[in-house]
Structure formats: structure tokens, C-alpha cells
Amino acid sequence: MSYYRVLGLDREPFSTSPDPAFFYQSQRHRAVLANLVVEFRLKRGLSPVLGDIGTGKTTLGRKLIQMLKERPGFLFHMVLDPTYPSEDLFFSALIRTLGIGVSSTSPTLVDYRDVLERYLFQKGIQEHQTVVLIIDEAHKLNPLSLEALRILLNYETNEVKLLQLVLLGQMELLQVLVGMPNLMDRISLKCTLDPLDLAETREMIQFRLREAGYRSRLALFTDEAIETIYTYSEGYPRRTAMLCHRALRALVMGRGRVIDEALVEDLVEQEANAGWFQPKRLQKSSSSV
């Protein structure tokens, strides 16, 4: 039997997979989602969403698709890995992602651009659809791929952009964009996802437990345990989920009846000694010795 069923849960609550059902929306996350929806409706074009590793960028993208996929007039496409060595390979991958057929057996860059332009005009002008392309791991885009995206953003009417482009990337993406002024000046909205504060970390843990089906009045995590998890995770949702998962697993294996501060401290020390986890709190402690 899976550990979560032993605890009265229907599903695993602290998976690090980008499941939108377990996406805790802090005030900042809600604001980013709302602003992106406004950008789509106004068809403004380019919207980078920046954040450190583990702040929830990928899950936010999935949540955005979940929110709007049932609404008429939206076409969503997502690229999970945008690392292509050449512009023509990047265009070719985009065309496959968008589900567009290419008549030429040996298409050139011009062919790719023509096909994409016709597709965007057909969907945007003739069919009144809003085409949204979300690119995850966008900090991996090379200059040639970014130039290809700039070309796509040039396809527009007098009033609107025909492609709504969301770039989900780590903070270094901003410096790349700054180094490309002809792309930087096309940004309509720039958002940053920050780590959660203590109250939000507590709410995230409780939210995930509820979503996983936990209904008992008995709290699985003491307040002190949550504070300790926050200290070591520094408010990053992915780190928080990983620590909570390990804590629940330890609980099932007989290490107490509730997750307390001592259990979390012990787990962190074990992970650090094994080289799997090195929180900054431990780094600071070791450097001061």
C-alpha cells in the first residue's frame, strides 16, 4: 500500500510533478495568472515569467492552460524543451507543436516562415482564435531561436499581435533579453515569481493535504515543523514539497505519530550528509566553524 493511503490520503500530496491540481496559488501567483489572461485578451504579444529553480513556473504554465482550455477562442501549445541548435530545426519543431502540415519535402527557412505566417493569420483573423505558445525552460533558448520568435511576434494586425508568447525561464533569461533590444522592446508584461513566505508555505502544505483527500482533524505537521521546513526550503515550493514528502514517508515508517521539528531536522541532516540536499542554513553554519 502506498504511504499516502496509510495516512488517509487519496493521492500523493507532495509530488514534484507539475500537476495543476496541486498548484498552490499565492497572492503573487494569482496576480501573474490574472495579468497573463489580460495580456491574452488584449493580444499584446510577449510575456516573460521569470523565477529561480523551484518557484513553480512550469506548474503555473500548466495551470494557465487548465484555466483557459475550456473557454472558446483559445489555442494553447506548450514547448517543454526549446534547445535546438539551428533556426530551421527550431521552426520545424514549432510547426510540429502547432500541428501544421508542410507541403514541401525539403522546406527552407522561408517556407517555414510562410507556413507559420499563414497559420497565425488563419487562426487569428479568419477564425478569431487566440494562439498562445508557452515555452518552458526558456533560458535555454539560443540567440537564433530567440530571433525566430521575434520574427513570429512581427506577425500582427494594426491592433493586435497574432501570437501570444509566454517565456517561462530562470532569472538569467532577463539578461539574455536585455542583450537583444529588438526583442526586449516587444515585451508587454514581465512577471517574477518569488519564493513563498512562512504563512504561504503553511497554506501550501495544508492546501496540498486537502487536495490529496486528508480530512482528519489531527494535524500531520506541527507549527514548529512547518517553520523548520520553511527555514530549510527558504520558501521554494519544490524544496518544500520534497521535504514534506520525506517527512510523511518517515512518519509511515514508524517515526512518531506526527511530524515535528526534530523529525524535520533529522531528515535535513541525513539528506545533507548524503549529499542530496545542502540548504543555505547548513552552508552558513559550516562556513562559520
Side-chain angles (χ1 to χ4, degrees):
M1 179 182 291
S2 301
Y3 82 84
Y4 53 85
R5 296 196 182 278
V6 174
L7 297 171
L9 299 163
D10 300 325
R11 302 173 60 187
E12 182 179 351
F14 296 111
S15 170
T16 54
S17 299
D19 185 346
F22 285 95
F23 179 57
Y24 166 70
Q25 297 184 40
S26 68
Q27 183 176 356
R28 181 58 181 163
H29 286 86
R30 287 194 297 271
V32 171
L33 287 169
N35 282 319
L36 286 172
V37 172
V38 171
E39 292 297 302
F40 295 163
R41 294 201 176 280
L42 297 177
K43 299 184 179 181
R44 299 295 299 274
L46 178 57
S47 300
V49 178
L50 309 173
D52 289 331
I53 297 172
T55 49
K57 299 181 297 296
T58 301
T59 315
L60 182 140
R62 301 284 179 87
K63 183 65 175 181
L64 186 63
I65 294 173
Q66 183 191 65
M67 286 170 52
L68 298 178
K69 69 178 181 179
E70 301 300 331
R71 300 187 187 183
F74 284 97
L75 296 174
F76 280 94
H77 304 278
M78 193 168 190
V79 175
L80 297 177
D81 185 0
T83 52
Y84 293 94
S86 64
E87 192 175 359
D88 57 337
L89 287 176
F90 182 70
F91 270 131
S92 176
L94 279 184
I95 285 173
R96 290 195 302 273
T97 298
L98 296 172
I100 308 171
V102 181
S103 57
S104 174
T105 56
S106 300
T108 64
L109 275 176
V110 174
D111 293 327
Y112 286 140
R113 292 174 184 174
D114 288 345
V115 166
L116 286 165
E117 183 177 12
R118 287 197 299 270
Y119 171 82
L120 291 175
F121 271 90
Q122 176 185 339
K123 296 300 179 182
I125 304 303
Q126 299 175 12
E127 300 180 15
H128 304 290
Q129 301 269 13
T130 300
V131 180
V132 181
L133 177 64
I134 301 173
I135 298 184
D136 200 9
E137 302 287 331
H139 51 278
K140 296 181 180 179
L141 288 163
N142 61 38
L144 290 175
S145 297
L146 286 168
E147 174 61 19
L149 292 172
R150 185 193 67 81
I151 291 171
L152 296 183
L153 289 170
N154 284 340
Y155 301 147
E156 58 190 349
T157 68
N158 291 336
E159 297 85 19
V160 298
K161 299 285 187 181
L162 296 179
L163 176 67
Q164 310 312 307
L165 178 61
V166 179
L167 300 180
L168 305 174
Q170 295 176 24
M171 298 303 296
E172 57 262 34
L173 174 62
L174 180 59
Q175 294 305 314
V176 176
L177 296 174
V178 169
M180 300 184 66
N182 57 352
L183 187 59
M184 185 73 179
D185 65 8
R186 285 168 169 75
I187 294 177
S188 175
L189 172 72
K190 179 178 72 67
C191 301
T192 302
L193 295 180
D194 299 316
L196 308 177
D197 60 25
L198 174 57
E200 291 169 337
T201 299
R202 180 179 290 106
E203 289 173 4
M204 172 192 159
I205 293 171
Q206 295 169 348
F207 164 78
R208 282 193 166 220
L209 288 171
R210 288 195 305 271
E211 287 298 307
Y214 191 68
R215 297 293 180 265
S216 174
R217 293 183 178 181
L218 175 66
L220 287 176
F221 295 80
T222 67
D223 288 341
E224 293 77 13
I226 292 176
E227 290 173 7
T228 306
I229 289 170
Y230 171 73
T231 297
Y232 286 117
S233 70
E234 300 175 296
Y236 285 88
R238 186 184 301 170
R239 295 183 199 170
T240 299
M242 290 172 65
L243 274 175
C244 288
H245 166 71
R246 288 170 171 81
L248 287 182
R249 188 173 59 188
L251 194 65
V252 170
M253 294 175 66
R255 297 188 57 182
R257 300 179 61 184
V258 66
I259 297 166
D260 57 17
E261 179 182 3
L263 175 57
V264 176
E265 291 277 6
D266 187 41
L267 287 173
V268 171
E269 184 176 357
Q270 290 179 31
E271 297 292 329
N273 291 336
W276 292 104
F277 181 62
Q278 188 66 18
K280 291 182 179 179
R281 176 172 169 175
L282 290 185
Q283 293 172 357
K284 293 174 183 177
S285 298
S286 61
S287 65
S288 61
V289 174

